[in-house]
Amino acid sequence: MEKETKADEEEQTQVINPWEVSAKGKIDYDKLIDQFGCQRLDQSFVDRVHRLTNRIPHIFLRRNVFFAHRDLNEILDAYERGEKFYLYTGRGPSSEALHLGHLVPFMFTKYLQEAFKVPLVIQLTDDEKCMWKNLTVEESKRLARENAKDIIACGFDVSRTFIFSDFDYVGGAFYENMVKVAKCVTYNKVVGIFGFTGEDHIGKISFPPVQAVPSFPSSFPHLFSGKDKLRCLIPCAIDQDPYFRMTRDVAPRLGYSKPALIESLFFPALQGQTGKMSASDANSAIYVTDSQKAIKEKVNRYAFSGGQDSIENHRKYGANLEVDIPFKYLSFFLEDDEELEHIRKEYGSGRMLTGEVKKRLIEVLTEIVERHRAARAAVTDEMVDAFMAVRPLPNMFA
Amino acid sequence: MGISKAQLLERLQAQQIHFSQYDHPVVMTVEAQAKHVGHIKAGLSKNLFLKDKKHRFYIVSALADTKVDLKVLSQRLGLGKGGLRMAPEEAVVEVLEVPLGSVTPFALVNESARSVSLLLDQGFKTHECCFFHPLSNDTSISLHIEDLYKFLKSVGRMVAYVDLEANPTVGKDQPPDLAALVPSDAPSIQNISEKTATLQIDGDVKSKPVAVTAKASKVSSGQQKEKSVNNANSSSSFADPEQFIEEILKKASAIVVAEIKEENIKQHGGQLGAVVSNSLRKNLSLELKNLATMFKNTAYTEGFGAGIRCPAKRL
């Protein structure tokens, strides 16, 4: 079994699991990689992806936003030999309000889909949110469909993408795999991984297989029948690692390939680096529904600045880029590497002021949010039905 | 006067909002209301009409047993301690245009109440239906909170779900979390003819929201509605090849025209072609790819729709 149990976690000063992300001070990602037992994604990988796909690697790869992986080298080796793979990612539809942090894995997955020309399954865990957030079944299903619209707006190709909600899809071959996985994980183990207690209801305890089985192609007979050895690559934020550690542990026992993972950092909250953006705190994040005015206000008023407290000090010491949020956000979203480098030098040395950096950030964020809104407006309910229909995807590898 | 109960109920029906109606004697308190409809499985609401020191108004609508602390709310809105008071009785009649004892989120449909900010208890979401007065306290209607939310948003009102029992610290480093819910101005009582003109119920209910929001330009949600009307127009370019190509040519031409100017001609001379070409690629690639993907998705959806409606072939 790969490293890390919940018990160990409690001894640490940072808590990272699918339902809680918090740390005293900055999140130590090196420690996290060590704790979880995954691998750092270094420049050689980025270069290899560049070569294999014949296009500039995505900004999130260039800027080390996706920074850790499991078995990515095997996926790339297989790809080089002509063996394809499929992508699997998902969202827990707990709220209607999506912020930029939520879009990060989807933006990256869209790039992977285009660059490698592979199919994608997207799981909406409405059952999970119904259980954990105590929503009604109707509300979670409704949120799943609403969130699906924002996901589609990220630009996925309908001829290669299958979106499904657990309440709609669980059953048949998918459920058969869930039972197979469940048989391989003892109660004690799942308590160790996820920290369940005697007070937790049995719905929670039996949920993990639901998130595990989309990693196995036989869960989707309408898509992958006859392709039992097809590998799976899962782009996700690093807090989802526990689910897939469990899955990778079980896979060989079921005769399936272990899914590979490519993991991202957390998108920092506007007010600073100690946690991740939260949909329940309106000012910790930029929402895809924010107006230009709201973005401007949020960045100006709430974005944590690493600049010095006076202009003289700032010119003398420069900005603390480690904690400066505007600069961090630009590193996520400002496409132009040269411009970012220029800002790094000028702001870090104190020649550029926080106001200017914030102004540039507001421009960049506004463009992204506007583009998303326009795309979202074009997504109809029927389009959601099309993406969610259980249908074959004949050209999924073309 | 504002619209009547009957007019409101007609509007809800026209928008296919499902609600159940219960008539009863006039009730002035939640306890009294509970005597008549408490047996029905729906959340009862208490509705507070509040005012701040700058004469801006708020309705706080909450489940009957949610604790509402005005001091905490006042701080969370950024109004300082004690900045929120219960609004005087005249305001209920003048601003909300409902009789005393009938404070309800629905009052926001009245023009005079258009800059009232509505804070909805997020606890409402856990109930299938919740009770509100439809502008008059001799009736209670129960409906799903999302329908109420969408209905008010569709007329451009400021509505937000709030965790009313939360008590976050507000200080130098923790800005008030509800500051965005403070209206940008105090309501102005319009003259009667204007009010009735905008709220006449006519056959085409759908066109009304656009007219109302064009007037309510100061309310930020109104701005968003205007934007989405524009987007709705451009989304048709995803179904129509002619419009699609027009979009693309428009964007490309803008870049070409921007690049071909005196200084660039002087600087690049014969190479200008390559420069413009690179600029086109750099600036347009991503955007055009997104456009094309939406076009493809729209076409596929149309095919999908046709396919599922196609009667099965007789063999």
Side-chain angles (χ1 to χ4, degrees):
Chain A
M1 173 75 189
E2 286 156 343
K3 290 202 249 182
E4 184 57 13
T5 63
K6 189 78 177 23
D8 288 340
E9 226 176 62
E10 265 153 17
E11 284 167 355
Q12 325 288 1
T13 49
Q14 53 188 29
V15 175
I16 316 277
N17 65 52
W19 304 287
E20 191 192 337
V21 174
S22 64
K24 294 193 184 83
K26 206 164 72 124
I27 294 186
D28 188 339
Y29 286 106
D30 286 314
K31 204 169 173 194
L32 200 55
I33 290 188
D34 219 42
Q35 244 177 266
F36 284 178
C38 43
Q39 255 63 49
R40 258 246 175 230
L41 229 176
D42 56 35
Q43 189 59 35
S44 66
F45 270 105
V46 180
D47 294 335
R48 192 169 178 202
V49 167
H50 189 161
R51 269 195 328 271
L52 279 176
T53 58
N54 232 327
R55 60 178 74 197
I56 307 225
H58 192 265
I59 184 175
F60 291 159
L61 275 176
R62 298 193 322 261
R63 307 280 170 78
N64 293 317
V65 171
F66 277 81
F67 73 112
H69 76 94
R70 289 184 191 276
D71 286 352
L72 183 62
N73 47 321
E74 288 193 21
I75 291 267
L76 296 180
D77 287 342
Y79 189 78
E80 226 164 356
R81 287 195 299 268
E83 284 169 37
K84 300 282 192 168
F85 59 92
Y86 73 101
L87 293 162
Y88 155 40
T89 191
R91 163 150 173 88
S94 56
S95 65
E96 206 153 346
L98 264 111
H99 55 61
L100 291 181
H102 292 132
L103 292 188
V104 164
F106 292 109
M107 290 170 169
F108 188 61
T109 305
K110 180 220 165 183
Y111 150 79
L112 288 173
Q113 180 179 63
E114 255 174 38
F116 287 96
K117 304 252 179 295
V118 289
L120 161 67
V121 302
I122 301 180
Q123 178 182 45
L124 295 169
T125 56
D126 41 6
D127 52 348
E128 184 207 350
K129 291 310 173 188
C130 176
M131 290 194 276
W132 262 270
K133 299 275 170 161
N134 199 17
L135 302 173
T136 60
V137 171
E138 290 72 31
E139 182 62 4
S140 16
K141 282 166 85 163
R142 187 189 73 82
L143 286 176
R145 276 188 73 93
E146 283 305 305
N147 284 182
K149 291 183 185 163
D150 280 289
I151 292 174
I152 292 172
C154 292
F156 292 106
D157 181 344
V158 67
S159 62
R160 283 188 221 274
T161 307
F162 174 54
I163 302 181
F164 65 100
S165 94
D166 290 341
F167 276 129
D168 279 340
Y169 190 67
V170 169
F174 192 91
Y175 183 60
E176 286 169 20
N177 277 338
M178 276 170 58
V179 170
K180 288 188 196 168
V181 167
K183 282 167 75 171
C184 292
V185 184
T186 63
Y187 175 75
N188 287 334
K189 199 168 262 176
V190 83
V191 164
I193 302 175
F194 298 106
F196 297 133
T197 68
E199 303 302 306
D200 285 313
H201 60 66
I202 55 179
K204 289 190 185 179
I205 300 170
S206 50
F207 177 75
V210 181
Q211 189 155 327
V213 307
S215 327
F216 307 136
S218 55
S219 304
F220 304 102
H222 65 287
L223 295 178
F224 302 132
S225 96
K227 296 191 176 71
D228 273 357
K229 288 297 171 200
L230 186 64
R231 287 165 201 270
C232 176
L233 173 62
I234 308 177
C236 60
I238 195 163
D239 64 341
Q240 301 296 309
D241 196 84
Y243 280 115
F244 304 117
R245 277 204 302 275
M246 180 196 80
T247 313
R248 286 168 57 89
D249 189 54
V250 162
R253 284 186 263 169
L254 300 179
Y256 292 143
S257 321
K258 292 188 199 184
L261 276 90
I262 181 166
E263 297 162 303
S264 72
L265 321 153
F266 300 113
F267 199 65
L270 264 179
Q271 296 108 327
Q273 289 204 84
T274 49
K276 70 178 186 184
M277 274 183 167
S278 161
S280 39
D281 177 3
N283 291 319
S284 68
I286 303 290
Y287 289 89
V288 299
T289 46
D290 280 343
S291 64
Q292 212 167 341
K293 180 162 167 264
I295 296 176
K296 188 168 177 200
E297 250 184 60
K298 283 188 187 179
V299 170
N300 281 332
R301 284 170 72 170
Y302 302 118
F304 185 83
S305 165
Q308 301 300 334
D309 43 17
S310 70
I311 296 197
E312 297 80 46
N313 279 343
H314 186 83
R315 299 280 190 214
K316 205 161 39 156
Y317 302 118
N320 180 355
L321 297 180
E322 277 298 300
V323 302
D324 186 88
I325 290 297
F327 184 73
K328 267 251 166 326
Y329 276 28
L330 281 174
S331 72
F332 269 75
F333 294 120
L334 180 60
E335 271 291 334
D336 191 337
D337 290 338
E338 275 176 27
E339 192 186 340
L340 186 72
E341 198 42 43
H342 173 78
I343 296 178
R344 182 199 306 275
K345 288 207 195 79
E346 298 297 291
Y347 190 44
S349 65
R351 285 188 289 273
M352 195 185 276
L353 298 179
T354 304
E356 218 182 307
V357 180
K358 283 192 174 183
K359 183 153 164 276
R360 186 67 182 111
L361 177 64
I362 291 169
E363 273 168 27
V364 169
L365 292 179
T366 305
E367 200 192 309
I368 294 178
V369 169
E370 300 282 297
R371 200 184 318 134
H372 183 93
R373 258 220 294 281
R376 169 73 153 89
V379 178
T380 57
D381 273 301
E382 197 158 45
M383 197 181 284
V384 174
D385 290 336
F387 270 89
M388 293 184 73
V390 176
R391 69 214 189 274
L393 299 178
N395 301 315
M396 58 179 158
F397 292 114
Chain B
M1 275 296 287
I3 70 169
S4 71
K5 170 175 79 173
Q7 284 172 319
L8 171 68
L9 295 179
E10 230 178 87
R11 271 235 261 185
L12 292 177
Q13 273 164 348
Q15 291 194 27
Q16 283 162 340
I17 292 177
H18 179 75
F19 62 90
S20 302
Q21 182 176 345
Y22 304 88
D23 293 328
H24 48 66
V26 163
V27 291
M28 297 300 284
T29 61
V30 177
E31 292 78 27
Q33 186 186 29
K35 287 205 187 92
H36 300 284
V37 295
H39 61 287
I40 293 158
K41 197 167 152 288
L44 283 170
S45 67
K46 61 186 175 199
N47 297 276
L48 308 166
F49 188 44
L50 308 168
K51 179 171 107 114
D52 68 22
K53 294 188 175 156
K54 293 195 178 167
H55 307 291
R56 294 175 295 214
F57 292 91
Y58 309 78
I59 293 182
V60 171
S61 184
L63 286 170
D65 40 29
T66 298
K67 294 188 194 44
V68 177
D69 185 333
L70 290 188
K71 289 200 277 310
V72 169
L73 269 182
S74 176
Q75 286 208 295
R76 288 175 70 187
L77 285 163
L79 305 172
K81 294 188 196 168
L84 266 188
R85 304 263 160 94
M86 294 293 286
E89 286 181 351
E90 310 87 65
V92 173
V93 176
E94 270 170 20
V95 177
L96 294 184
E97 290 183 306
V98 295
L100 287 182
S102 311
V103 174
T104 165
F106 285 115
L108 261 56
V109 300
N110 290 323
E111 266 302 288
S112 54
R114 75 170 144 90
S115 33
V116 174
S117 173
L118 172 63
L119 278 64
L120 283 177
D121 184 354
Q122 72 182 27
F124 283 133
K125 290 197 205 179
T126 58
H127 291 254
E128 292 268 359
C129 314
C130 300
F131 274 118
F132 299 95
H133 286 309
L135 302 178
S136 168
N137 55 353
D138 60 0
T139 307
S140 300
I141 62 171
S142 72
L143 74 167
H144 196 285
I145 195 66
E146 261 304 292
D147 287 336
L148 172 69
Y149 181 87
K150 281 193 236 179
F151 174 68
L152 292 174
K153 279 295 225 194
S154 77
V155 289
R157 298 314 190 232
M158 239 172 128
V159 192
Y161 289 112
V162 176
D163 178 358
L164 290 171
E165 292 189 332
N167 190 353
T169 28
V170 175
K172 190 167 69 99
D173 298 310
Q174 299 97 355
D177 68 316
L178 301 179
L181 303 181
V182 173
S184 46
D185 49 38
S188 55
I189 315 291
Q190 316 247 289
N191 60 42
I192 299 185
S193 53
E194 202 178 351
K195 271 186 282 188
T196 47
T198 33
L199 289 164
Q200 256 161 22
I201 312 293
D202 58 34
D204 189 357
V205 180
K206 281 202 168 97
S207 67
K208 276 302 138 206
V210 179
V212 172
T213 48
K215 278 180 185 270
S217 54
K218 279 198 181 166
V219 181
S220 60
S221 54
Q223 273 172 350
Q224 236 164 315
K225 199 72 205 332
E226 277 172 26
K227 264 204 144 57
S228 62
V229 169
N230 290 331
N231 287 338
N233 288 335
S234 68
S235 75
S236 61
S237 64
F238 295 125
D240 178 9
E242 222 176 278
Q243 281 193 302
F244 179 59
I245 295 302
E246 192 47 49
E247 244 335 86
I248 296 178
L249 287 177
K250 207 169 64 174
K251 292 187 204 281
S253 308
I255 294 189
V256 170
V257 162
E259 289 288 331
I260 301 194
K261 34 182 199 205
E262 279 279 357
E263 42 191 88
N264 285 354
I265 298 177
K266 282 202 190 114
Q267 187 183 349
H268 300 285
Q271 295 301 312
L272 190 57
V275 169
V276 174
S277 169
N278 281 335
S279 178
L280 273 174
R281 219 174 253 282
K282 181 170 158 209
N283 295 319
L284 275 191
S285 269
L286 185 58
E287 200 168 339
L288 291 186
K289 269 191 229 165
N290 289 338
L291 278 178
T293 303
M294 277 319 292
F295 189 79
K296 177 178 179 181
N297 288 348
T298 306
Y300 181 106
T301 302
E302 282 184 13
F304 171 75
I308 54 177
R309 288 181 189 97
C310 199
K313 252 202 178 137
R314 243 179 287 170
L315 292 165

